[in-house]
Amino acid sequence: MSDRGTLDALLELHGTTYAAEAGIRLRDTPQPLYQLLVLSDLLSARIRASVAVAAALALYAHGMRTPRRMADATWQQRVGALGEGGYRRYDERTATQLGDGAVLLLDEHGGDLRHLRRDAEGDTGALRKALQRFPGVGPAGADIFLREVQTVWPETAPYLDAKALQGAERLGLPTSSAGLTRLARGRDPAVLAAALVRAALDRDVAASAGAS
């Protein structure tokens, strides 16, 4: 199969962003951006992505969709919601981090992550560093956020980090952002990044797209 055929198959079968999987209708507005930050925190732990998504859905179902609601929830309420989603290995630590991160976002940015975008002035490196100030959002969490947000913050695109490029290598595709972007022919860069990450995390995903 050609590189283009492999990528087309991957995107057709696995071209769903993690934000979409978690029910986030991503827009450049405070609430969905905050939901993406929470999801990025959860996904960055050493835990299955499906469990992280389920935990995010449970938090949102309990009303913790904004930094104010997250901060106002008790620690036990956060732990309980995470447990419902199966996020038990890291639930206590993560409940604390989510509460502290919500307070930080409210105190320093009025609950609006767009302030970070404004302050970065188009510098993706600066934005990545700023995201890591939130408890639990280390380098991996910042990369997840930037991979997913690039559709609505296009100045960050194409954002294909080491994990996405690992997926490209597994598929036998070009391992440069420029090469992959050309091959994608104008497809949503967040969808491209998510599909490549899914291939990196799961050999079955790569095999289904035609990888040997």
Side-chain angles (χ1 to χ4, degrees), residues 124-174:
T124 301
L127 182 55
R128 185 175 185 268
K129 184 177 180 180
L131 287 164
Q132 292 177 61
R133 293 194 61 231
F134 294 100
V137 183
D143 284 338
I144 293 164
F145 184 93
L146 290 168
R147 287 197 312 254
E148 296 277 321
V149 85
Q150 58 186 317
T151 300
V152 295
W153 290 359
E155 71 277 9
T156 65
Y159 196 86
L160 298 172
D161 65 341
K163 184 61 71 175
L165 297 180
Q166 180 185 332
E169 183 176 13
R170 173 171 280 179
L171 289 158
L173 297 175

Side-chain angles (χ1 to χ4, degrees), residues 34 40 66 75 132 144:
Y34 176 68
S40 300
T66 68
W75 178 83
Q132 292 177 61
I144 293 164

Side-chain angles (χ1 to χ4, degrees), residues 5-205:
T6 296
L7 186 59
D8 286 349
L10 177 72
L11 293 173
E12 180 179 351
L13 294 169
H14 306 288
T16 301
T17 65
Y18 289 97
E21 188 178 344
I24 302 170
R25 296 183 178 181
L26 196 56
R27 301 182 302 278
D28 187 26
T29 55
Q31 181 169 312
L33 290 171
Y34 176 68
Q35 291 176 317
L36 177 58
L37 183 69
V38 169
L39 178 63
S40 300
D41 183 343
L42 298 174
L43 283 166
S44 65
R46 293 176 180 270
I47 200 163
R48 292 194 311 276
S50 59
V51 174
V53 168
L57 286 165
L59 287 165
Y60 308 152
H62 283 274
M64 290 172 252
R65 301 184 187 92
T66 68
R68 172 54 59 197
R69 292 294 297 273
M70 185 69 76
D72 287 347
T74 67
W75 178 83
Q76 190 58 57
Q77 285 171 329
R78 293 192 293 269
V79 168
L82 290 166
E84 282 183 25
Y87 204 87
R88 295 184 180 87
R89 184 176 174 187
Y90 304 101
D91 55 354
E92 296 186 358
R93 182 184 70 185
T94 302
T96 299
Q97 291 172 341
L98 290 173
D100 292 346
V103 171
L104 176 65
L105 181 56
L106 289 165
D107 288 350
E108 297 197 5
H109 302 289
D112 191 346
L113 284 163
R114 294 177 299 180
H115 291 190
L116 273 69
R117 181 190 188 191
R118 179 198 64 199
D119 294 345
E121 297 181 333
D123 183 340
T124 301
L127 182 55
R128 185 175 185 268
K129 184 177 180 180
L131 287 164
Q132 292 177 61
R133 293 194 61 231
F134 294 100
V137 183
D143 284 338
I144 293 164
F145 184 93
L146 290 168
R147 287 197 312 254
E148 296 277 321
V149 85
Q150 58 186 317
T151 300
V152 295
W153 290 359
E155 71 277 9
T156 65
Y159 196 86
L160 298 172
D161 65 341
K163 184 61 71 175
L165 297 180
Q166 180 185 332
E169 183 176 13
R170 173 171 280 179
L171 289 158
L173 297 175
T175 54
S176 70
S177 292
L180 289 164
T181 300
R182 284 195 299 271
L183 200 62
R185 296 170 295 169
R187 308 282 185 90
D188 184 337
V191 170
L192 171 64
L196 291 170
V197 168
R198 292 179 190 278
L201 295 175
D202 188 340
R203 290 185 182 276
D204 290 341
V205 167

